[in-house]
Amino acid sequence: MQFGRVAALEDAYLKRTLDKTISPQDHMYNTGPDWYFSVGVDGLRVVLRALAMGRLNEVNHILDLPCGHGRVARHLHACFPNAHLTFADIDTDGVDFCVERFGGTGIYSQPDLSQVAFDVTYDLIWIGSLFTHVEQARAETWLRHLCGLLAPNGVLIATLHGNWSKEVQRSYGAMIGDAEWAKIMAGYELTGWGYARYPGPDNYGVSLCRASTVMAMAGRIEGVRILSYTERGWAGNHDVLVMEKWDRMEKF
Ligand SMILES: C[S@@+](CC[C@H](N)C(=O)[O-])C[C@H]1O[C@@H](n2cnc3c(N)ncnc32)[C@H](O)[C@@H]1O
């Protein structure tokens, strides 16, 4: 998308009134009210930067997965008021909240995301903090599945725990207990992708990955190309991977 077009999208977004309604169930707000809105708007800036790198001209269909209770969705809605938004999460209350506030379609996800049916393709897929919670095999399967849902020239953005997350765990409030973190670091040192589950029944936890491991994983997916990898690209915290539905092997 041309810079001028991206700038026009941002200008129009800044003139619109943001829906600041918060669900009482919004875990991201309840655990971080001070940075909730700044992190949300920075998610939109990540999207705009990604669009400026790619070939897409129009954003008509957007998938926000996992949508939570709309930390980024509210900004996507304000920036792309005419696009059709799809909200997916395993948290059905979050999906219902997003559909009610921002319109569009809701999809209830499943523990195995690759079993979830999506009936359309998307120009933009925003994956804010999902791969940050699973091991590499699941992340790769899901990334492949989601790349398959991109429309031609569509852009996929996924956030990850990179190097900075070590400092977050050490100095800014631990994401997980010491024993689990030791397991994560051991896996990280061995393979470039460490993971440990949160205590409890859910097959869900915290991951930590090397940029080179993420690049290798994204590079194994056919029919797409890697647009960028940015350390601490989202709100100075998560790393950001951007992929585009344009075959890296296609002739000019
Ligand atoms: C850290 S939150 C991020 C939510 C949102 N993207 C944001 O930035 O506010 C992680 C989300 O992943 C969701 N989740 C976990 N497993 C999932 C799955 N298999 N499919 C879809 N969403 C899932 C959780 O319910 C939770 O809302």
Side-chain angles (χ1 to χ4, degrees):
M1 189 176 287
Q2 290 181 338
F3 290 139
R5 213 174 163 91
V6 176
L9 281 171
E10 189 186 26
D11 281 350
Y13 157 79
L14 290 171
K15 290 186 182 110
R16 292 191 189 106
T17 306
L18 189 74
D19 185 336
K20 291 191 171 168
T21 312
I22 301 291
S23 161
Q25 317 301 329
D26 191 331
H27 182 66
M28 303 316 292
Y29 184 82
N30 294 337
T31 54
D34 294 346
W35 53 84
Y36 183 90
F37 286 104
S38 60
V39 169
V41 69
D42 203 62
L44 176 67
R45 291 201 195 100
V46 171
V47 166
L48 294 175
R49 284 195 289 269
L51 291 176
M53 279 187 289
R55 295 155 49 100
L56 190 71
N57 283 320
E58 293 278 347
V59 179
N60 294 318
H61 285 91
I62 301 175
L63 172 62
D64 180 354
L65 177 156
C67 59
H69 286 81
R71 183 165 57 156
V72 175
R74 62 191 72 237
H75 301 274
L76 292 171
H77 172 63
C79 189
F80 304 99
N82 300 320
H84 187 93
L85 292 159
T86 298
F87 303 106
D89 201 294
I90 204 159
D91 179 342
T92 56
D93 189 78
V95 174
D96 292 347
F97 176 83
C98 287
V99 172
E100 188 191 312
R101 295 306 316 170
F102 315 122
T105 303
I107 294 180
Y108 296 158
S109 187
Q110 298 171 25
D112 182 359
L113 174 62
S114 51
Q115 299 303 311
V116 179
F118 297 85
D119 296 334
V120 295
T121 55
Y122 301 96
D123 302 311
L124 176 66
I125 301 181
W126 164 254
I127 310 165
S129 200
L130 181 65
F131 302 151
T132 44
H133 296 289
V134 296
E135 74 279 16
Q136 187 183 358
R138 246 190 302 173
E140 182 160 348
T141 304
W142 291 1
L143 181 63
R144 190 178 295 279
H145 182 57
L146 293 167
C147 281
L149 299 177
L150 284 172
N153 298 328
V155 173
L156 176 150
I157 304 164
T159 78
L160 300 131
H161 285 148
N163 264 312
W164 175 250
S165 297
K166 297 177 199 164
E167 192 56 25
V168 172
Q169 174 72 17
R170 191 166 32 232
S171 312
Y172 289 86
M175 299 179 281
I176 200 162
D178 289 347
E180 288 85 4
W181 185 252
K183 183 179 172 200
I184 292 168
M185 284 305 298
Y188 172 84
E189 295 298 345
L190 197 64
T191 69
W193 191 297
Y195 170 75
R197 285 167 69 146
Y198 291 123
D202 293 338
N203 190 11
Y204 193 65
V206 171
S207 67
L208 176 72
C209 30
R210 279 190 210 287
S212 56
T213 303
V214 177
M215 288 290 90
M217 181 174 104
R220 285 191 286 272
I221 300 176
E222 292 170 355
V224 289
R225 68 169 172 158
I226 297 165
L227 279 184
S228 68
Y229 187 91
T230 309
E231 292 188 291
R232 299 180 66 182
W234 184 22
N237 186 4
H238 288 190
D239 287 6
V240 175
L241 170 71
V242 182
M243 317 257 310
E244 182 186 52
K245 181 74 172 184
W246 189 57
D247 193 332
R248 60 174 70 82
M249 303 310 288
E250 191 174 311
K251 280 186 186 157
F252 275 108

